Amino acid sequence: MAVTLKQIANIVGVDVSVVSRVLNDKTENYHFTEERMEQIRKIARELGYIPNIYAQAVKTGKFGCVALLLSSHGDRSYLPNLLLDSMHKELEKRGKHLMLTKLPDANGEDYSQTPAILKTLMADGLIVDYTHHVSPGIESRIENFVLPKIWINNKRSKDCVYPDNLKAGVEAARKLIKFGHKNIAYVTDVSYSQNLFGEHYSMSDRYKGYALEMKKNDLEIYKIDGEGKVIPKNKLIDYFVNILSQPDRPTALILYWSLLVPPVLNAARKLGISIPDDLSIITFAGCISQHAGLSINAMIEPENEMGIESVKMLVKKITEPEKSLKSKSLAFSYYDTGSCKKLVRN
Amino acid sequence: MAVTLKQIANIVGVDVSVVSRVLNDKTENYHFTEERMEQIRKIARELGYIPNIYAQAVKTGKFGCVALLLSSHGDRSYLPNLLLDSMHKELEKRGKHLMLTKLPDANGEDYSQTPAILKTLMADGLIVDYTHHVSPGIESRIENFVLPKIWINNKRSKDCVYPDNLKAGVEAARKLIKFGHKNIAYVTDVSYSQNLFGEHYSMSDRYKGYALEMKKNDLEIYKIDGEGKVIPKNKLIDYFVNILSQPDRPTALILYWSLLVPPVLNAARKLGISIPDDLSIITFAGCISQHAGLSINAMIEPENEMGIESVKMLVKKITEPEKSLKSKSLAFSYYDTGSCKKLVRN
DNA sequence: CTGAAAGCGCTTACAG
DNA sequence: CTGAAAGCGCTTACAG
């Protein structure tokens, strides 16, 4: 079995309290001989002693652990690597561990009862990464759960950190307008099928930002959304070919997300439209896209910042559980690959 | 603060042991009145009692927790959603939690000392998802770590679960050969730059499987690997255009992974080569590709199985830590989208 | 100054 | 049959 303080104490011939203090560097007001301390450390090392943090936690009343709550639906759990990474790093700084939890969330799940996981989950706090399609049942369950919590990537007025999709929409439009574009279209996720519990706020906010900036500049809004129909993925190229072959086709596109890039580029290539000479494009994208060879300018989601910020807020929340914190919105960054260009009048 | 057994016991006016037994359904040999039990459960519910699993763990000597060890390098941590999901589900069945840990692993990191995380990590066991680029320093640190552990997605002779990339390579080739193809090329990850600590075993094994099957059928091996040079991502289309415009171009391609699909399809389209009429393609891919609209036949990685299997093995390993378990290789599944076709002689 | 004792929240073998 | 007591591994206020 695992090595304990007691075993070390027995070997050295001192009290466990001495071993505890030495190993935790709490020897300030104690005058242990350097020899003794070294002996204790040596034995601990040799035996491969690992402090039982659970026992520590029981004693101190803190768990030293934060739980990340995800939906069990893969496509509903937003967990890009950079987000996980920054969270983990930020927690590690504070000596906290990261617990990962997925809630069962099949449609029609019975939530008259609290899910088992919320019955035994012990952590100092919760980061709720339950971005969209949150059923009212599960939402209130989480809301009522006793632990302090921060929601991420979800627009709420308090205790929440989220990317500023509205501002990103404004900025995408602004960049294109600055380049002299007037006929700028916004492409929604046209192959997205509406979910029971509503769409992610980024869908409306990105568009809203675009629309706002267009209006401000007296430009006409052009929304490409499949006219209310869902376009199957294998029909996307044809769909964009059709749009881009219109005589009054847009000179610039803003894409809801990077999955739209391949079909759009394919359509453009088919039509002999070259980027950025004949068409400027900006898309929204996750950080991973930069490494995955995205060839289009992008508003990049602040994943890293969101990880850091969520941990910081949660830590604050843990110290003052009753106080609700003002939500924080985080700015996107801009990734320039040269896919946008000044409009040339022809 | 959190509600404890003691508080409930005080309110009801019984001993904590009674409360513990009632709440844990360990009343078999005890004859508590139904009333009393209901009263205890009711109070527990009202106060929002959550058992302190850490205290339980200290008492029972089990942590009820498994740690997943990842590299801190995003692109080195293989954590597809389905893998995470199946692990989590399998653990949940056993009432275990999932701890997530990333090791610092910058090149040149000093590993004369054990990383802090391995000094305090407490779990019943470890799943090491540290698939490639494992530096010898860190590898031995993990190896020597006291907890029982299972490696995943990494070819080791024992205590390991990994996808059978060799067999998948054989099968991909076999399918194309069955369709009458003879000129079948294997495309490596041509834009991959060699890492300090070697490549993932899938790189050699997928190719090896292909080569084996080709030889078995007396067919010539055709390896497309950039002739030892790394092809930049933005030159990939041109690279494939060049290859596919050769007079003796392959009639079928096997792609190392799905990131090669877009440039290959683009090149084919440019040349007027249609799929599958003029060219059959099979790629290797993760499960996510199926949902992300992959349009090419694929050997799909057994993510789900790997999650389940790793947990099962680890649980076995936890009960018998000294016994080393034979590694398990898992078969890929085949995803057919119609991108392969019988070769027509012209 | 510094050991020994109390106690964190829990479970369960055991005495009555 | 069923309370009360011991004890898991740890930390720290406190008595000497």
mmCIF file of all heavy atoms in Angstrom, chain A residues 260-281:
data_model
loop_
_atom_site.group_PDB
_atom_site.id
_atom_site.type_symbol
_atom_site.label_atom_id
_atom_site.label_comp_id
_atom_site.label_asym_id
_atom_site.label_seq_id
_atom_site.Cartn_x
_atom_site.Cartn_y
_atom_site.Cartn_z
ATOM 1 N N LEU A 260 -17.179 26.230 -43.139
ATOM 2 C CA LEU A 260 -17.718 26.754 -44.399
ATOM 3 C C LEU A 260 -16.613 27.064 -45.397
ATOM 4 O O LEU A 260 -16.878 27.263 -46.588
ATOM 5 C CB LEU A 260 -18.541 28.018 -44.133
ATOM 6 C CG LEU A 260 -19.837 27.821 -43.340
ATOM 7 C CD1 LEU A 260 -20.363 29.148 -42.819
ATOM 8 C CD2 LEU A 260 -20.888 27.144 -44.224
ATOM 9 N N VAL A 261 -15.380 27.131 -44.917
ATOM 10 C CA VAL A 261 -14.279 27.547 -45.790
ATOM 11 C C VAL A 261 -14.070 26.608 -46.990
ATOM 12 O O VAL A 261 -14.047 27.072 -48.130
ATOM 13 C CB VAL A 261 -12.967 27.722 -44.983
ATOM 14 C CG1 VAL A 261 -11.783 27.947 -45.908
ATOM 15 C CG2 VAL A 261 -13.099 28.884 -44.002
ATOM 16 N N PRO A 262 -13.931 25.282 -46.781
ATOM 17 C CA PRO A 262 -13.675 24.416 -47.936
ATOM 18 C C PRO A 262 -14.732 24.525 -49.035
ATOM 19 O O PRO A 262 -14.371 24.750 -50.194
ATOM 20 C CB PRO A 262 -13.618 23.020 -47.323
ATOM 21 C CG PRO A 262 -13.260 23.230 -45.896
ATOM 22 C CD PRO A 262 -13.875 24.527 -45.506
ATOM 23 N N PRO A 263 -16.018 24.409 -48.724
ATOM 24 C CA PRO A 263 -16.992 24.519 -49.823
ATOM 25 C C PRO A 263 -16.961 25.882 -50.509
ATOM 26 O O PRO A 263 -17.114 25.950 -51.735
ATOM 27 C CB PRO A 263 -18.348 24.270 -49.139
ATOM 28 C CG PRO A 263 -18.113 24.392 -47.676
ATOM 29 C CD PRO A 263 -16.684 24.035 -47.452
ATOM 30 N N VAL A 264 -16.751 26.938 -49.752
ATOM 31 C CA VAL A 264 -16.703 28.269 -50.371
ATOM 32 C C VAL A 264 -15.500 28.368 -51.304
ATOM 33 O O VAL A 264 -15.612 28.835 -52.444
ATOM 34 C CB VAL A 264 -16.647 29.382 -49.302
ATOM 35 C CG1 VAL A 264 -16.253 30.706 -49.926
ATOM 36 C CG2 VAL A 264 -17.994 29.515 -48.601
ATOM 37 N N LEU A 265 -14.356 27.897 -50.831
ATOM 38 C CA LEU A 265 -13.155 27.966 -51.677
ATOM 39 C C LEU A 265 -13.323 27.101 -52.923
ATOM 40 O O LEU A 265 -12.914 27.485 -54.023
ATOM 41 C CB LEU A 265 -11.919 27.515 -50.895
ATOM 42 C CG LEU A 265 -11.453 28.467 -49.793
ATOM 43 C CD1 LEU A 265 -10.141 27.985 -49.191
ATOM 44 C CD2 LEU A 265 -11.294 29.889 -50.319
ATOM 45 N N ASN A 266 -13.926 25.957 -52.745
ATOM 46 C CA ASN A 266 -14.172 25.080 -53.888
ATOM 47 C C ASN A 266 -15.072 25.745 -54.910
ATOM 48 O O ASN A 266 -14.798 25.706 -56.114
ATOM 49 C CB ASN A 266 -14.816 23.772 -53.425
ATOM 50 C CG ASN A 266 -13.779 22.749 -53.017
ATOM 51 O OD1 ASN A 266 -12.746 22.639 -53.686
ATOM 52 N ND2 ASN A 266 -14.023 22.040 -51.949
ATOM 53 N N ALA A 267 -16.129 26.353 -54.411
ATOM 54 C CA ALA A 267 -17.069 27.036 -55.309
ATOM 55 C C ALA A 267 -16.349 28.153 -56.061
ATOM 56 O O ALA A 267 -16.501 28.301 -57.283
ATOM 57 C CB ALA A 267 -18.239 27.589 -54.509
ATOM 58 N N ALA A 268 -15.556 28.925 -55.323
ATOM 59 C CA ALA A 268 -14.835 30.030 -55.950
ATOM 60 C C ALA A 268 -13.895 29.512 -57.036
ATOM 61 O O ALA A 268 -13.829 30.053 -58.144
ATOM 62 C CB ALA A 268 -14.046 30.801 -54.890
ATOM 63 N N ARG A 269 -13.209 28.433 -56.739
ATOM 64 C CA ARG A 269 -12.260 27.885 -57.693
ATOM 65 C C ARG A 269 -12.986 27.424 -58.961
ATOM 66 O O ARG A 269 -12.541 27.665 -60.078
ATOM 67 C CB ARG A 269 -11.477 26.745 -57.065
ATOM 68 C CG ARG A 269 -10.272 26.331 -57.890
ATOM 69 C CD ARG A 269 -9.388 25.344 -57.150
ATOM 70 N NE ARG A 269 -8.698 25.940 -56.025
ATOM 71 C CZ ARG A 269 -8.878 25.575 -54.756
ATOM 72 N NH1 ARG A 269 -9.743 24.622 -54.459
ATOM 73 N NH2 ARG A 269 -8.210 26.165 -53.790
ATOM 74 N N LYS A 270 -14.106 26.764 -58.756
ATOM 75 C CA LYS A 270 -14.912 26.309 -59.893
ATOM 76 C C LYS A 270 -15.292 27.462 -60.810
ATOM 77 O O LYS A 270 -15.351 27.312 -62.034
ATOM 78 C CB LYS A 270 -16.204 25.650 -59.384
ATOM 79 C CG LYS A 270 -16.086 24.178 -59.102
ATOM 80 C CD LYS A 270 -17.458 23.516 -59.018
ATOM 81 C CE LYS A 270 -17.313 22.011 -58.855
ATOM 82 N NZ LYS A 270 -18.604 21.334 -58.732
ATOM 83 N N LEU A 271 -15.571 28.606 -60.195
ATOM 84 C CA LEU A 271 -16.045 29.755 -60.975
ATOM 85 C C LEU A 271 -14.901 30.635 -61.470
ATOM 86 O O LEU A 271 -15.128 31.653 -62.119
ATOM 87 C CB LEU A 271 -16.998 30.604 -60.125
ATOM 88 C CG LEU A 271 -18.307 29.919 -59.727
ATOM 89 C CD1 LEU A 271 -19.043 30.739 -58.682
ATOM 90 C CD2 LEU A 271 -19.189 29.696 -60.961
ATOM 91 N N GLY A 272 -13.682 30.249 -61.109
ATOM 92 C CA GLY A 272 -12.553 31.075 -61.515
ATOM 93 C C GLY A 272 -12.460 32.379 -60.738
ATOM 94 O O GLY A 272 -11.841 33.344 -61.177
ATOM 95 N N ILE A 273 -13.077 32.391 -59.579
ATOM 96 C CA ILE A 273 -12.986 33.581 -58.717
ATOM 97 C C ILE A 273 -11.762 33.409 -57.842
ATOM 98 O O ILE A 273 -11.648 32.417 -57.118
ATOM 99 C CB ILE A 273 -14.236 33.673 -57.818
ATOM 100 C CG1 ILE A 273 -15.484 33.934 -58.669
ATOM 101 C CG2 ILE A 273 -14.061 34.743 -56.752
ATOM 102 C CD1 ILE A 273 -16.779 33.911 -57.875
ATOM 103 N N SER A 274 -10.835 34.347 -57.891
ATOM 104 C CA SER A 274 -9.643 34.133 -57.081
ATOM 105 C C SER A 274 -9.667 34.981 -55.817
ATOM 106 O O SER A 274 -10.218 36.072 -55.769
ATOM 107 C CB SER A 274 -8.379 34.373 -57.914
ATOM 108 O OG SER A 274 -8.157 35.746 -58.030
ATOM 109 N N ILE A 275 -9.055 34.416 -54.794
ATOM 110 C CA ILE A 275 -9.032 35.035 -53.474
ATOM 111 C C ILE A 275 -7.639 35.584 -53.242
ATOM 112 O O ILE A 275 -6.678 34.839 -53.461
ATOM 113 C CB ILE A 275 -9.328 33.994 -52.368
ATOM 114 C CG1 ILE A 275 -10.468 33.071 -52.785
ATOM 115 C CG2 ILE A 275 -9.516 34.641 -51.010
ATOM 116 C CD1 ILE A 275 -11.838 33.517 -52.566
ATOM 117 N N PRO A 276 -7.417 36.788 -52.837
ATOM 118 C CA PRO A 276 -8.424 37.800 -52.492
ATOM 119 C C PRO A 276 -8.740 38.773 -53.643
ATOM 120 O O PRO A 276 -9.478 39.721 -53.409
ATOM 121 C CB PRO A 276 -7.724 38.564 -51.373
ATOM 122 C CG PRO A 276 -6.285 38.519 -51.765
ATOM 123 C CD PRO A 276 -6.070 37.253 -52.523
ATOM 124 N N ASP A 277 -8.187 38.500 -54.837
ATOM 125 C CA ASP A 277 -8.354 39.491 -55.903
ATOM 126 C C ASP A 277 -9.819 39.767 -56.237
ATOM 127 O O ASP A 277 -10.224 40.917 -56.373
ATOM 128 C CB ASP A 277 -7.602 39.033 -57.166
ATOM 129 C CG ASP A 277 -6.094 39.044 -56.931
ATOM 130 O OD1 ASP A 277 -5.652 39.879 -56.108
ATOM 131 O OD2 ASP A 277 -5.378 38.219 -57.528
ATOM 132 N N ASP A 278 -10.581 38.705 -56.366
ATOM 133 C CA ASP A 278 -11.983 38.894 -56.750
ATOM 134 C C ASP A 278 -12.955 38.791 -55.571
ATOM 135 O O ASP A 278 -14.108 39.167 -55.666
ATOM 136 C CB ASP A 278 -12.389 37.822 -57.784
ATOM 137 C CG ASP A 278 -11.430 37.795 -58.957
ATOM 138 O OD1 ASP A 278 -10.942 38.868 -59.331
ATOM 139 O OD2 ASP A 278 -11.156 36.684 -59.474
ATOM 140 N N LEU A 279 -12.466 38.233 -54.504
ATOM 141 C CA LEU A 279 -13.360 38.010 -53.359
ATOM 142 C C LEU A 279 -12.549 38.010 -52.065
ATOM 143 O O LEU A 279 -11.536 37.317 -51.969
ATOM 144 C CB LEU A 279 -14.063 36.646 -53.525
ATOM 145 C CG LEU A 279 -15.067 36.239 -52.448
ATOM 146 C CD1 LEU A 279 -16.300 37.137 -52.447
ATOM 147 C CD2 LEU A 279 -15.491 34.769 -52.639
ATOM 148 N N SER A 280 -13.001 38.816 -51.106
ATOM 149 C CA SER A 280 -12.363 38.814 -49.787
ATOM 150 C C SER A 280 -13.182 37.947 -48.839
ATOM 151 O O SER A 280 -14.409 37.920 -48.923
ATOM 152 C CB SER A 280 -12.274 40.235 -49.236
ATOM 153 O OG SER A 280 -11.314 40.979 -49.953
ATOM 154 N N ILE A 281 -12.495 37.228 -47.959
ATOM 155 C CA ILE A 281 -13.217 36.362 -47.015
ATOM 156 C C ILE A 281 -12.641 36.491 -45.609
ATOM 157 O O ILE A 281 -11.421 36.524 -45.425
ATOM 158 C CB ILE A 281 -13.132 34.871 -47.428
ATOM 159 C CG1 ILE A 281 -13.499 34.692 -48.908
ATOM 160 C CG2 ILE A 281 -14.031 34.019 -46.551
ATOM 161 C CD1 ILE A 281 -13.458 33.246 -49.375
#
